Amino acid sequence: MAILDILTELATTGRWGPVATGADWAEVTASFGDPWTGTLTGPWEWPRLVAYGDLELSVCHCRRIVLVCVQTWRDVIELPSLSSGEPRGFPGSLTHQDVTRALDAAGCPWRPDPSLTFDDQCALTALPSGATFAFSGVAPGVEPVLNVMGLPDGLHDCPAPTTSTTP
């Protein structure tokens, strides 16, 4: 599976394997193991940011995913394999044209996002999932490069206690 296939699946369905806004943290760790960066132990504030390489997840106190983000600004984008959870590297430097062609080929409608378009940044939103793709390097004669892709937050009403202790 290529990186554009993964991003297109997230844009079209709002899900990639066990990863989705609102998904149960236990399902993610059953597929990928413990996060490569971050932890859910200790008396810190919630939600907590954890990562599997360039896949960043914000996890609520109730152990639900409330934010999904894929950092794409690096030369190599590292994500867990769906089959083993082991790190996989994908080439970075995805252009605006690469992304829009992939979305169009998948039949995923999108529109420019003027609220996130300013200075040298432009953005687009995939309509099925609300996923946002933000590009940097906007200049005359230059193809913008994908900086980050994210799913909208879960706007979730947490049933867990509001204290900052570990459940």
Side-chain angles (χ1 to χ4, degrees):
M1 181 175 266
I3 186 65
L4 283 170
D5 296 330
I6 294 168
L7 297 178
T8 300
E9 185 172 332
L10 279 163
T12 304
T13 68
R15 174 174 287 280
W16 177 59
V19 175
T21 303
D24 188 319
W25 176 242
E27 292 177 27
V28 174
T29 57
S31 292
F32 298 153
D34 289 332
W36 304 343
T37 307
T39 179
L40 294 186
T41 60
W44 298 283
E45 294 297 318
W46 296 89
R48 305 237 181 105
L49 183 65
V50 298
Y52 292 93
D54 293 309
L55 172 65
E56 296 179 353
L57 307 171
S58 184
V59 182
C60 181
H61 196 176
C62 68
R63 304 296 205 253
R64 293 278 174 199
I65 306 299
V66 293
L67 188 70
V68 176
C69 178
V70 180
Q71 298 292 339
T72 57
W73 55 269
R74 295 174 176 85
D75 291 333
V76 175
I77 302 164
E78 194 170 71
L79 299 176
S81 164
L82 282 180
S83 60
S84 68
E86 294 297 315
R88 281 188 64 197
F90 299 91
S93 300
L94 303 170
T95 67
H96 188 276
Q97 189 173 35
D98 293 334
V99 172
T100 57
R101 282 183 180 165
L103 293 173
D104 290 344
C108 180
W110 58 273
R111 63 174 161 68
D113 187 338
S115 70
L116 293 174
T117 298
F118 50 86
D119 298 332
D120 72 339
Q121 174 178 302
C122 68
L124 65 85
T125 299
L127 301 181
S129 66
T132 299
F133 293 79
F135 300 84
S136 61
V138 176
V142 176
E143 182 68 21
V145 176
L146 185 61
N147 194 29
V148 65
M149 181 270 188
L151 294 175
D153 67 32
L155 300 175
H156 140 100
D157 188 17
C158 180
T162 57
T163 63
S164 62
T165 59
T166 304

